[in-house]
Amino acid sequence: MEENEKEVISRNFIEQEIDKDLAEGVYNTVHTRFPPEPNGYLHIGHAKSILLNYGLAEKYHGKFNMRFDDTNPTKEKTEFVESIKEDIKWLGADWEDRLFFASDYFEQMYEAAVKLIKKGKAYVSDLSAEEIREYRGTLTEPGKKDPYSDRSVEENLELFENMKNGVYKDGEKVLRARIDMTSPNINMRDPVIYRVAHMNHHNTGDTWCIYPMYDFAHPIEDAIEGITHSICTLEFEDHRPLYDWVVRELEYEKPPRQIEFAKLYLTNVVTGKRYIKKLVEDGIVDGWDDPRLVSIAALRRRGFTPESLRMFVELCGVSKSNSSVDYAMLEYCVREDLKLKKPRMMAVLDPIKLVIDNYPEGQVEMLEASNNMENPELGTHQVPFSRELYIEREDFMEEPPKKYFRLFPGNEVRLMHAYFVTCTGFEKDDEGNVTVVHCTYDPATKAGSGFSERKVKGTIHWVPVKEAVKAEVRLYENLVDEEKGVYNKEDGSLNLNPNSLTILKECYLEPAVSGAEAYDSFQFVRNGFFCVDYKDSTPEALVFNRIVSLKSSFKLPK
């Protein structure tokens, strides 16, 4: 009994409501859906809704529908439909054969509107959009009666059929629900439920020239599909009375129930479709999947994993009040997911040549390197070692500060997986830039030999010059200026960070990464986790995106 009580306490408020509905026999199953409008790419906030709806269906052994809410042909594209399907599958939400389109129900929606007209619950109005807003009133003043609301049922049926048959121009007439123009809820003041729009629809072509409004269409779609719990975000809470009115007036036997939860907001990121569209059109980003964005496609391209997003959504939890989550928490989740899974490779992003003067010329020996020191099960791989290597430029200093333990004249360091080397000198170009560092090695200090006569404080990574794989590496910072905030208060524009993308063309990686394919990811020693870019990388010219750096100040709240 105690275990059952603990289980109930641990459930979120939506699960508690579902438990209550099942216990009281309101429903005998759980049927959820994810209903995106195909007018853009999905972002991290949608991931929460997808995983919540799919997770509830899984938890209660119910059904999950994937449905496109495509009732607005002005903004919808087949490109968006395909990208959304790909994103949802990638996240792991499997709709099997339960893929639906709201546009498949246009005939039933039309019949539903006719039913409302016959019941005296809907009428055709000639008011313009501007006049409808004026008649609707304000949050403090009631609305005024529509002068066309007294038309007879017969006249409304005829006018509505004429709307359907293309007799009127766009905006010339609308169908309104007859509810209450004095309602304190402005959504109930005779809302428009159908409008004239002579537009080609991506799914139905030119079959229809009238289209239902979202607030009318959505509850009908849910009812037709047998949805039990219509889980949506908090901004639809004020629309719930209209949702309930529609399913009640249309007399559905088992009407669905709407439950709202708080949206997922991330600090200092751009999620607005209007802003992303402008960024794409202005060439500031290279598409909706640019790795600096937080669309699901962008996160996938950057190298985030479905597991990391699921972990993130779980940590955020489900609540009734809006709040913001630090982007660093998303980074924490992907680090946690990758750190035991991915092989650890040496990569030099800002190279300088290191020459071991006393190492035999032409000799190459194979050294063993661990694939992941935290996860021995990933095994080892071989790295070729020779006289000339690349090291990071920051790993050598001519005149180092105190507590600098890497290479400088006279200092000894460990080359990772290899030998101790001592810096003996360096070369500069005409501009005074160091181009080559010289050193000698101690053959007795080979890694794994058990050498313990002396210790060194510094260890640096390297790659062999001859066998190294050249690659382009892209380093990302936040797309927006975090100090200024996302939006400019004066004109609403974005405060963009001019350093959001750094492209390094001359990077050298150890040969074990050759043959890496799109979305393959690795931990590059000291530099972070990196993923092969699916769009620009080729087998001959690899391109890597940095997913995330290795360390963060973020700590999980206790």
Side-chain angles (χ1 to χ4, degrees), residues 44 266-269 291-294 299 302-305 307-309 311-313 315-316 325-339 475-479 482 528-529 546-556:
I44 184 68
L266 268 182
T267 56
N268 293 315
V269 299
R292 290 167 288 179
L293 299 172
V294 289
L299 291 168
R302 184 155 171 179
F304 281 77
T305 59
E307 294 85 356
S308 65
L309 265 60
M311 179 183 179
F312 176 67
V313 166
L315 285 174
C316 290
V325 179
D326 196 329
Y327 184 81
M329 188 161 120
L330 181 58
E331 293 182 318
Y332 164 84
C333 291
V334 76
R335 276 191 204 96
E336 286 296 299
D337 182 52
L338 296 177
K339 69 181 184 182
L475 307 178
Y476 299 100
E477 291 182 13
N478 203 319
L479 184 60
E482 294 185 31
F529 291 97
R546 182 156 70 180
I547 308 167
V548 67
S549 59
L550 290 178
K551 291 185 180 178
S552 167
S553 57
F554 177 79
K555 294 281 192 297
L556 267 184

Side-chain angles (χ1 to χ4, degrees), residues 221-325:
E221 296 157 27
D222 285 344
I224 290 171
E225 292 177 12
I227 302 303
T228 56
H229 298 85
S230 183
I231 313 299
C232 59
T233 45
L234 216 52
E235 72 265 30
F236 291 101
E237 187 172 23
D238 290 341
H239 298 247
R240 194 198 316 151
L242 178 53
Y243 184 101
D244 293 341
W245 182 89
V246 171
V247 294
R248 183 172 64 250
E249 292 298 337
L250 292 175
E251 302 167 32
Y252 290 107
E253 190 178 339
K254 282 277 187 182
R257 176 188 174 191
Q258 179 176 301
I259 303 175
E260 308 86 17
F261 70 97
K263 267 186 174 180
L264 172 56
Y265 291 100
L266 268 182
T267 56
N268 293 315
V269 299
V270 181
T271 54
K273 289 175 184 174
R274 178 167 60 94
Y275 286 101
I276 295 175
K277 189 168 181 282
K278 183 163 173 44
L279 288 171
V280 173
E281 288 171 350
D282 292 350
I284 293 166
V285 297
D286 76 351
W288 287 79
D289 62 354
D290 187 290
R292 290 167 288 179
L293 299 172
V294 289
S295 65
I296 295 174
L299 291 168
R300 182 168 76 248
R301 180 179 174 189
R302 184 155 171 179
F304 281 77
T305 59
E307 294 85 356
S308 65
L309 265 60
R310 289 200 287 268
M311 179 183 179
F312 176 67
V313 166
E314 196 172 320
L315 285 174
C316 290
V318 178
S319 98
K320 293 182 182 180
S321 55
N322 287 326
S323 60
S324 292
V325 179

Side-chain angles (χ1 to χ4, degrees), residues 257-492:
R257 176 188 174 191
Q258 179 176 301
I259 303 175
E260 308 86 17
F261 70 97
K263 267 186 174 180
L264 172 56
Y265 291 100
L266 268 182
T267 56
N268 293 315
V269 299
V270 181
T271 54
K273 289 175 184 174
R274 178 167 60 94
Y275 286 101
I276 295 175
K277 189 168 181 282
K278 183 163 173 44
L279 288 171
V280 173
E281 288 171 350
D282 292 350
I284 293 166
V285 297
D286 76 351
W288 287 79
D289 62 354
D290 187 290
R292 290 167 288 179
L293 299 172
V294 289
S295 65
I296 295 174
L299 291 168
R300 182 168 76 248
R301 180 179 174 189
R302 184 155 171 179
F304 281 77
T305 59
E307 294 85 356
S308 65
L309 265 60
R310 289 200 287 268
M311 179 183 179
F312 176 67
V313 166
E314 196 172 320
L315 285 174
C316 290
V318 178
S319 98
K320 293 182 182 180
S321 55
N322 287 326
S323 60
S324 292
V325 179
D326 196 329
Y327 184 81
M329 188 161 120
L330 181 58
E331 293 182 318
Y332 164 84
C333 291
V334 76
R335 276 191 204 96
E336 286 296 299
D337 182 52
L338 296 177
K339 69 181 184 182
L340 296 180
K341 289 181 179 177
K342 298 302 173 183
R344 186 184 187 203
M345 298 288 164
M346 295 187 289
V348 176
L349 307 189
D350 184 14
I352 186 173
K353 189 180 282 188
L354 178 72
V355 177
I356 308 171
D357 293 316
N358 64 333
Y359 194 86
E361 276 197 59
Q363 179 173 310
V364 177
E365 63 177 307
M366 301 304 291
L367 302 177
E368 187 172 67
S370 169
N371 281 332
N372 189 316
M373 295 181 75
E374 294 181 69
N375 183 5
E377 289 183 11
L378 289 186
T380 62
H381 66 278
Q382 299 288 305
V383 190
F385 182 84
S386 54
R387 189 171 187 266
E388 293 190 353
L389 312 172
Y390 288 121
I391 62 169
E392 294 285 1
R393 185 168 293 276
E394 66 175 25
D395 286 345
F396 170 79
M397 291 189 79
E398 185 179 352
E399 296 177 1
K402 286 184 178 180
K403 296 191 176 178
Y404 180 83
F405 300 121
R406 286 169 256 173
L407 275 176
F408 56 88
N411 193 46
E412 186 175 47
V413 301
R414 181 195 305 275
L415 292 180
M416 186 175 285
H417 311 305
Y419 299 94
F420 288 10
V421 295
T422 302
C423 179
T424 56
F426 53 90
E427 300 173 27
K428 287 185 177 181
D429 61 18
D430 294 339
E431 295 174 359
N433 300 310
V434 176
T435 55
V436 180
V437 176
H438 288 271
C439 67
T440 57
Y441 87 115
D442 182 349
T445 60
K446 186 174 181 179
S449 66
F451 178 82
S452 60
E453 289 180 16
R454 60 186 184 274
K455 303 290 184 187
V456 290
K457 290 186 176 179
T459 298
I460 64 174
H461 64 280
W462 52 274
V463 295
V465 168
K466 190 177 177 183
E467 295 84 2
V469 174
K470 188 178 178 183
E472 177 181 309
V473 170
R474 297 168 180 178
L475 307 178
Y476 299 100
E477 291 182 13
N478 203 319
L479 184 60
V480 297
D481 188 320
E482 294 185 31
E483 290 186 9
K484 293 180 181 176
V486 179
Y487 305 110
N488 187 312
K489 291 177 182 175
E490 308 237 334
D491 59 8

Side-chain angles (χ1 to χ4, degrees), residues 506-522:
E506 296 276 333
C507 301
Y508 293 95
L509 323 178
E510 60 170 283
V513 303
S514 63
E517 298 178 350
Y519 300 113
D520 285 351
S521 52
F522 306 87

Side-chain angles (χ1 to χ4, degrees), residues 104-155:
D104 292 338
Y105 311 133
F106 279 168
E107 188 66 47
Q108 287 135 296
M109 290 175 192
Y110 176 79
E111 290 167 3
V114 168
K115 181 173 183 174
L116 291 181
I117 293 171
K118 288 179 177 177
K119 289 179 71 174
K121 297 290 184 178
Y123 60 92
V124 174
S125 173
D126 296 3
L127 293 181
S128 67
E130 192 176 325
E131 289 169 329
I132 287 173
R133 275 194 297 273
E134 186 186 322
Y135 272 73
R136 187 181 289 140
T138 66
L139 293 173
T140 55
E141 298 173 347
K144 295 182 294 184
K145 181 181 176 182
D146 186 314
Y148 300 98
S149 62
D150 289 333
R151 282 171 164 158
S152 67
V153 168
E154 290 72 26
E155 186 180 3

